[in-house]
Amino acid sequence: MAPFNFTHSDASTFILMGIPGLEAAHIWISIPFFTFYIISLLGNFMVLCVVGKEQTLQKPMYLLLCILALTDIATSTFVVPNALGIFWFNLKGITVAGCLTQMFFLHTISVMHSSTLVTMAFDRYVAVCNPLRYATILSNAQIAKLGLVGFIRAVLFILPLPLLLSQQTFCANRIIPHTQCEHIALEKMVCGHIRVSRIYGSVLMFVIIGFDLTFIAMSYGLIIRAVLRISSHKAHQKALNTCTTHICVMLTYYTPTFFSILTHHFGQGIAPYVHIILADLYLLIPPMLNPIIYGVKTKELRDKVVKYTCRSSADTKFTQSSADTRDDISSGLQCPSGNCQIVREHVNQH
């Protein structure tokens, strides 16, 4: 069955091609895209619901996890539905304004994600190196302020990118060989000089990634130094276990990011679809894995998730069992006096 063709050819639109070279496999590629998205939504919403309901989890570490979950939901939502529209229904047309908006939000959320990882590294540093002052240094209010600062930083850093591109003239060939509107792909559509935009984008990437990774490395350097000074092996293990989860989350985010950046700048001989798949994976894999990693590695969160899951299952079974019992009692009543209807109503009410 041929896909529906809703592609627009208006001069004010771009055409997102999906994954050029793999058009015949778009339907098959959509399966992991859709699966990753559903797992991501379920996992991250579960984290938000459990932390929101459980008072004992409303602490700085878990509030940071909620911020991370929100960025993960936003990231995958800005990528997957648009990609599935291309794969399933051939919905390739997107307006210039829509493309610039998507680019802005994608990069803003990505910078916000990195800021959250930096704050989490600082949280682990305080917890290990200065535990007695942890409650004073990192309260829930402080975490909210740091989250707001990270969001403002992301907006201020990324906003110039779409503003600079919106002042440019785009070429007649407005075909973007990608599933999304990212900055590098849009730069290639500009006919005029884009030196300022290109320099700003490169400097921005270097500053953000360089600063964030440097701060994270410093935090963990101080953590390792503090751990090595501890004589107890059990204390060693406990201190390192508090950091293992965060390290895993950082690796799932920064590793595909670096691969994507390196293939864009030094992989001219690599097939274009490899660039696109890597760019998509670094936006899809972390949102899916983060709640799984935290659910497996963080005992307190894992126990609460199991508790609510089991309670929900038990409530469902109890409700069904109660309904069945009422039906059995009601159907088995013997009413010699002829008042069966009154008795049944009494049983159903209780």
Side-chain angles (χ1 to χ4, degrees), residues 17-302:
M17 295 303 296
I19 305 179
L22 297 178
E23 289 88 352
H26 273 179
I27 293 296
W28 296 107
I29 295 172
S30 70
I31 296 174
F33 269 63
F34 181 73
T35 304
F36 293 168
Y37 184 51
I38 295 301
I39 294 173
S40 172
L41 290 182
L42 291 176
N44 286 294
F45 275 119
M46 174 66 77
V47 169
L48 291 173
C49 290
V50 171
V51 175
K53 289 182 178 180
E54 194 65 38
Q55 291 289 333
T56 59
L57 295 182
Q58 293 177 11
K59 299 183 288 189
M61 174 182 172
Y62 295 102
L63 292 182
L64 283 171
L65 186 55
C66 286
I67 295 174
L68 191 69
L70 288 173
T71 62
D72 286 339
I73 292 170
T75 299
S76 54
T77 299
F78 280 121
V79 174
V80 177
N82 193 62
L84 293 179
I86 297 171
F87 296 154
W88 290 347
F89 307 112
N90 208 30
L91 293 169
K92 299 181 178 180
I94 184 170
T95 64
V96 174
C99 203
L100 291 173
T101 301
Q102 186 191 46
M103 183 199 77
F104 169 73
F105 280 111
L106 277 176
H107 291 299
T108 298
I109 295 300
S110 182
V111 175
M112 180 67 186
H113 192 116
S114 186
S115 298
T116 305
L117 293 180
V118 171
T119 308
M120 294 173 83
F122 180 64
D123 171 79
R124 293 300 86 202
Y125 161 74
V126 176
V128 174
C129 299
N130 209 343
L132 297 180
R133 296 186 58 201
Y134 180 85
T136 305
I137 298 173
L138 283 176
S139 62
N140 289 349
Q142 287 295 104
I143 293 299
K145 291 177 183 177
L146 289 173
L148 180 61
V149 169
F151 177 72
I152 293 173
R153 182 189 83 145
V155 170
L156 293 179
F157 280 177
I158 299 300
L159 187 58
L161 291 177
L163 291 179
L164 288 170
L165 286 175
S166 66
Q167 304 302 315
Q168 300 292 333
T169 302
F170 294 99
C171 299
N173 181 15
R174 300 188 172 206
I175 297 175
I176 301 176
H178 215 300
T179 58
Q180 55 183 282
C181 295
E182 65 172 13
H183 183 246
I184 295 176
L186 280 176
E187 278 186 341
K188 296 177 180 178
M189 299 293 103
V190 176
C191 290
H193 296 288
I194 56 170
R195 185 176 180 181
V196 175
S197 177
R198 183 167 292 173
I199 291 174
Y200 181 79
S202 300
V203 171
L204 185 64
M205 180 180 63
F206 176 79
V207 169
I208 291 175
I209 295 180
F211 172 82
D212 290 358
L213 285 180
T214 299
F215 192 91
I216 291 171
M218 288 175 57
S219 297
Y220 277 96
L222 294 172
I223 289 172
I224 291 171
R225 188 179 70 173
V227 169
L228 292 177
R229 291 178 177 177
I230 302 173
S231 57
S232 169
H233 178 71
K234 186 177 180 180
H236 270 177
Q237 289 297 111
K238 186 176 180 180
L240 290 176
N241 284 339
T242 63
C243 303
T244 304
T245 305
H246 183 235
I247 292 173
C248 292
V249 169
M250 285 194 304
L251 289 175
T252 62
Y253 178 73
Y254 287 113
T255 302
T257 300
F258 272 119
F259 271 110
S260 180
I261 292 171
L262 290 174
T263 54
H264 266 299
H265 287 84
F266 305 107
Q268 286 76 14
I270 299 176
Y273 63 81
V274 175
H275 296 276
I276 298 167
I277 291 174
L278 284 175
D280 286 333
L281 287 180
Y282 104 84
L283 294 172
L284 288 174
I285 297 297
M288 179 187 67
L289 292 182
N290 287 345
I292 297 174
I293 293 171
Y294 272 98
V296 171
K297 298 291 292 183
T298 309
K299 184 180 185 301
E300 192 174 7
L301 178 62
R302 182 175 67 247

